[in-house]
Amino acid sequence: SQTIHQWPATLVQPVGSPLSLECTVEGTSNPNLYWYRQAAGRGLQLLFYSVGIGQISSEVPQNLSASRPQDRQFILSSKKLLLSDSGFYLCAWSSWGGRSGTEAFFGQGTRLTVV
Amino acid sequence: DAKTTQPTSMDCAEGRAANLPCNHSTISGNEYVYWYRQIHSQGPQYIIHGLKNNETNEMASLIITEDRKSSTLILPHATLRDTAVYYCIVRPTGTASKLTFGTGTRLQVTL
């Protein structure tokens, strides 16, 4: 069965420090991968999505970047964190839709607090 | 992707059916309707999806109108654990596509 791992669960980082959040998927190949952010009391904002190794689409201009060095690995990074980067970060994967719809599966999230 | 409109919040008594509406009047022929829910501080959980026909699984039922411009998610016997934010999403299939969430409906199940 497929599983998605996301770590760490919580993180407190000072302003100006770098960030690296990692997400890995097991049990599937060539997944679509997504990074979302959820600010406190707000909805889910799509940050990046990837359809293959090295292929990253950015949805909003921001202080963050994403990379996909391997088929089932998706990394969210920042060189210098801002206070506004605080939030709940979620990684998700889905398979190619084919002729029928397919659902997306989410990790448990990383709660980032920038202080 | 087509835009969806949902009520901001709803209440439901425990044991009763919860009917959550969603409008998607600009839905295209190749777009599916998906429902997810997010319990506080957790990642969203897939519930159900459909294209044209009504669908039912162990969690819920999905009723899609004939013109596909709206749908209703039905939780037949709501429990306190169903308290969550419910998201209705339309998404094309056949190609990789981004999955965009709106603000959802906050369902509060009460005793």
Side-chain angles (χ1 to χ4, degrees):
Chain A
S1 63
Q2 302 91 354
T3 56
I4 179 168
H5 302 281
Q6 187 181 344
W7 67 93
T10 59
L11 190 60
V12 180
Q13 292 283 100
V15 169
S17 64
L19 172 74
S20 181
L21 300 180
E22 188 164 342
C23 171
T24 59
V25 180
E26 295 178 357
T28 188
S29 60
N30 195 28
N32 301 326
L33 297 171
Y34 308 85
W35 276 112
Y36 291 86
R37 176 171 61 200
Q38 188 170 36
R42 306 291 294 276
L44 287 157
Q45 179 186 35
L46 178 62
L47 302 176
F48 301 96
Y49 72 100
S50 172
V51 302
I53 296 174
Q55 300 179 62
I56 310 293
S57 297
S58 175
E59 286 299 294
V60 293
Q62 59 202 308
N63 184 42
L64 301 168
S65 63
S67 62
R68 185 171 177 173
Q70 300 180 46
D71 182 44
R72 290 170 288 179
Q73 183 185 30
F74 206 23
I75 298 172
L76 184 69
S77 303
S78 173
K79 293 182 179 178
K80 290 185 178 181
L81 283 170
L82 306 172
L83 287 175
S84 58
D85 292 324
S86 294
F88 189 45
Y89 288 82
L90 287 154
C91 180
W93 77 272
S94 71
S95 60
W96 285 76
R99 296 193 63 182
S100 65
T102 58
E103 61 266 36
F105 301 92
F106 285 79
Q108 288 304 299
T110 295
R111 190 162 300 281
L112 171 67
T113 304
V114 182
V115 296
Chain B
D1 295 353
K3 181 179 170 58
T4 62
T5 305
Q6 299 177 253
T8 303
S9 63
M10 294 181 63
D11 292 330
C12 178
E14 189 176 34
R16 307 295 288 267
N19 297 299
L20 293 94
C22 179
N23 286 325
H24 31 80
S25 58
T26 60
I27 192 169
S28 300
N30 68 337
E31 288 182 316
Y32 279 73
V33 180
Y34 285 80
W35 283 85
Y36 289 80
R37 73 179 182 185
Q38 187 178 22
I39 296 170
H40 183 62
S41 296
Q42 297 182 23
Q45 175 190 24
Y46 164 81
I47 301 173
I48 198 167
H49 75 277
L51 183 63
K52 298 180 186 177
N53 301 320
N54 298 336
E55 302 288 343
T56 295
N57 62 20
E58 65 278 4
M59 290 183 67
S61 295
L62 174 60
I63 308 297
I64 303 174
T65 57
E66 193 169 342
D67 63 8
R68 302 210 322 124
K69 293 185 177 182
S70 65
S71 61
T72 301
L73 179 74
I74 301 173
L75 308 178
H77 306 286
T79 71
L80 295 177
R81 285 178 292 184
D82 292 321
T83 293
V85 177
Y86 287 78
Y87 296 97
C88 168
I89 301 161
V90 292
R91 182 186 183 209
T93 187
T95 61
S97 64
K98 57 189 180 183
L99 185 61
T100 306
F101 288 77
T103 54
T105 296
R106 182 170 298 278
L107 175 68
Q108 180 68 53
V109 181
T110 57
L111 290 171

